[in-house]
Amino acid sequence: WIFAIAVCSLSDAAASLASSWGNGPWSSDFGSPPPPAASNPGGNSPAPKVQRKASSLGLSGNSAVSPFSPGSNNISIDVGQVFLMGDLSDRYTDSLGSRFHYTYGVSDLFAFDGSFGYSSHSDGDYTLTSLLTGLRVNLAWYDKVIPFGVFGMGFYMPSYLIKPNERLSPIVFGLHVGAGVELELTKQLFFGTALTLHNAFTTTKQTVVGPREVGGSFASFIVHGGVTF
C-alpha cells in the first residue's frame, strides 16, 4: 500500500504542475515565425528582416541541452547507504552500495529512468544486484534546483550464503518508489541526492538446508554526480 499511496501522490503533483511548464526555463520562442516586415510605401529598398540566430538564444550545438531537459541524456554514479528492512535487517547489516544511473529526458515533465546497482552486506554473506527501469517526474524547477519523484519496476537478484561454497541467487521481480532533488551545476554537470524504497517480492526456494524465503524490502539513500549530453 505504501507504493500505491506514493504513486498516486506523485501523479496528482505532476498533474497539478503540468500547466506551469509552458513558462519553464526550457521553453523558448525559437522557431516561431518572425514578426511581419515593416511596410514600405515609398518603394525604396525593403525594410531589413529580423533574423533569429540560434547562437544569440543560446541554442547552438549542445548548449540547448541542460540536465533532465527534453532530449537530454543524463549519466550519473550513485553512492550511498543501503538500509535493509524487515527480516533482512535481523540477519544482515546495512552497508554502502553503488549504482550506475541513466535518465533520458522525454519532456519537460517526464523522463525515462534506468539503473544498475550492487551492494554487499555482512562480509558478503548477502549481496544484492538490481536492474531497474521507471518513470521520473520533474515536480518543479526553482532556479537551478529540480525536485523530482520516481517510480518503477525491475529485477532484483539477492544472493545468500547458505553454507561455505554454496549460495542461493534467485531473480525476483519488484517495485520501487522514491524522491530526490537535483542541482544543476552547469549545462553539462549536475549533483543530487535521493531516497528510494524498494520491495523485492518474496518467494520460497528450496536449498540444501531446507526451504528459504528470498526477497524483501530495503531503502537506499544516495548522493550522485553526473554529466549531461
Side-chain angles (χ1 to χ4, degrees):
W1 58 268
I2 186 173
F3 292 96
I5 294 175
V7 169
C8 290
S9 299
L10 289 175
S11 299
D12 292 340
S16 63
L17 290 169
S19 61
S20 65
W21 280 94
N23 297 322
W26 299 321
S27 63
S28 171
D29 62 352
F30 179 68
S32 60
S39 60
N40 186 26
N44 297 325
S45 59
K49 296 182 179 179
V50 178
Q51 295 182 351
R52 297 176 182 268
K53 295 183 179 180
S55 59
S56 66
L57 295 175
L59 298 177
S60 60
N62 290 331
S63 60
V65 177
S66 59
F68 308 103
S69 62
S72 64
N73 296 278
N74 307 272
I75 295 177
S76 66
I77 299 297
D78 306 351
V79 178
Q81 188 77 359
V82 177
F83 301 96
L84 302 177
M85 303 169 67
D87 293 339
L88 290 175
S89 64
D90 297 333
R91 297 197 299 261
Y92 308 106
T93 60
D94 300 334
S95 179
L96 290 176
S98 59
R99 187 167 59 184
F100 176 81
H101 214 129
Y102 171 77
T103 305
Y104 175 74
V106 177
S107 67
D108 289 338
L109 193 60
F110 299 109
F112 167 82
D113 187 82
S115 66
F116 177 80
Y118 177 82
S119 62
S120 178
H121 305 263
S122 298
D123 297 323
D125 289 352
Y126 174 76
T127 64
L128 181 61
T129 305
S130 62
L131 179 62
L132 309 177
T133 62
L135 178 68
R136 171 188 165 116
V137 182
N138 297 316
L139 299 177
W141 180 286
Y142 181 76
D143 195 8
K144 300 292 185 179
V145 176
I146 315 168
F148 68 92
V150 63
F151 56 93
M153 59 194 71
F155 299 96
Y156 298 85
M157 188 177 72
S159 181
Y160 306 82
L161 182 65
I162 303 301
K163 64 179 185 178
N165 300 321
E166 184 73 27
R167 300 191 72 92
L168 174 65
S169 303
I171 296 177
V172 296
F173 191 74
L175 303 174
H176 66 279
V177 61
V181 62
E182 307 282 3
L183 174 64
E184 178 187 322
L185 302 177
T186 70
K187 291 297 184 182
Q188 287 77 38
L189 298 175
F190 61 90
F191 173 84
T193 184
L195 174 65
T196 308
L197 301 176
H198 304 259
N199 182 26
F201 299 153
T202 57
T203 185
T204 301
K205 298 290 185 180
Q206 293 296 328
T207 71
V208 293
V209 295
R212 181 69 176 269
E213 186 178 82
V214 299
S217 300
F218 66 96
S220 59
F221 183 65
I222 59 93
V223 295
H224 58 249
V227 297
T228 297
F229 57 94

